[in-house]
Amino acid sequence: MPWLMQLIEGASSSTVDLNSGTAYQVNVNGFHAPPPTRRLSMSGGNFYRHGADMMARVYDNRSVSINLSIIGTNATALGTAVRDVWTILRKAEEYQRQGLGTLVQLKYQWDGAPTPVFFNVIEGVLDLGQDAHSPYLLQGTRIQRAMVTLLCEPFAQGTAETVENYAANPSFEMTGS
């Protein structure tokens, strides 16, 4: 099973599978989600002063980048695949601007992982790069180096079922392992 990467819009239940192998395929080493940077607030105003206490820890939003290929069986299918990504990214930004929160998520599950993690998407950009205007695209129907850059909340979330199952049966994870 390939690594699962999906953009999911919660309001309408629409999904774009970014690693399906049919319309989209994540390139080798194409997923990058470094930890969010941390900002500290210190009493006394100086981190190196003796007796300074950390008052607050605030994290910046996380930047997630996905390098992928967009594949179409013909020019119309390629245009539809590009439009689907743009549409869901536009909706993420509109939800944030209207104050509705993060209704678009990036669902990420690596091969062999039992449960996925979810990144709440604040906004995103699809960069088609030079491939969108190359002569190669006239004969082929593949944009090789498209980049999806997402601005997400600092921390990913897991699935809620683990806590519920643990409350019902604390030894449920040990079954069959």
Side-chain angles (χ1 to χ4, degrees):
M1 175 180 158
W3 291 34
L4 178 68
M5 279 185 239
Q6 296 176 327
L7 285 172
I8 301 169
E9 181 197 354
S12 69
S13 300
S14 64
T15 301
V16 175
D17 190 353
L18 296 177
N19 202 23
S20 64
T22 54
Y24 310 95
Q25 181 177 350
V26 175
N27 296 328
V28 176
N29 296 326
F31 181 77
H32 187 63
T37 57
R38 182 176 64 188
R39 295 178 280 145
L40 298 176
S41 175
M42 307 299 291
S43 68
N46 186 348
F47 181 72
Y48 298 106
R49 194 187 90 185
H50 178 69
D53 292 326
M54 184 168 49
M55 299 301 291
R57 182 176 294 153
V58 179
Y59 292 89
D60 290 328
N61 290 325
R62 182 185 299 246
S63 178
V64 176
S65 59
I66 304 167
N67 185 340
L68 55 92
S69 298
I70 303 175
I71 308 154
T73 54
N74 54 38
T76 303
L78 182 65
T80 301
V82 169
R83 188 184 66 236
D84 289 347
V85 174
W86 272 335
T87 299
I88 202 163
L89 294 178
R90 181 180 43 82
K91 286 182 180 181
E93 185 177 348
E94 287 177 3
Y95 291 138
Q96 278 295 317
R97 197 173 3 170
Q98 294 172 1
L100 299 174
T102 53
L103 297 179
V104 174
Q105 293 182 316
L106 172 66
K107 181 179 180 181
Y108 177 68
Q109 183 175 0
W110 48 94
D111 194 14
T115 56
V117 294
F118 297 89
F119 293 93
N120 292 329
V121 178
I122 298 170
E123 64 183 20
V125 176
L126 172 63
D127 180 11
L128 299 177
Q130 296 297 323
D131 284 349
H133 303 288
S134 72
Y136 171 75
L137 193 58
L138 296 175
Q139 289 107 15
T141 53
R142 182 182 187 110
I143 297 175
Q144 186 66 33
R145 291 176 300 274
M147 179 69 74
V148 175
T149 305
L150 305 173
L151 183 64
C152 300
E153 290 181 353
F155 300 106
Q157 300 173 348
T159 54
E161 67 179 335
T162 303
V163 173
E164 294 170 6
N165 288 342
Y166 183 80
N169 179 8
S171 63
F172 83 99
E173 290 186 3
M174 303 309 273
T175 304
S177 60

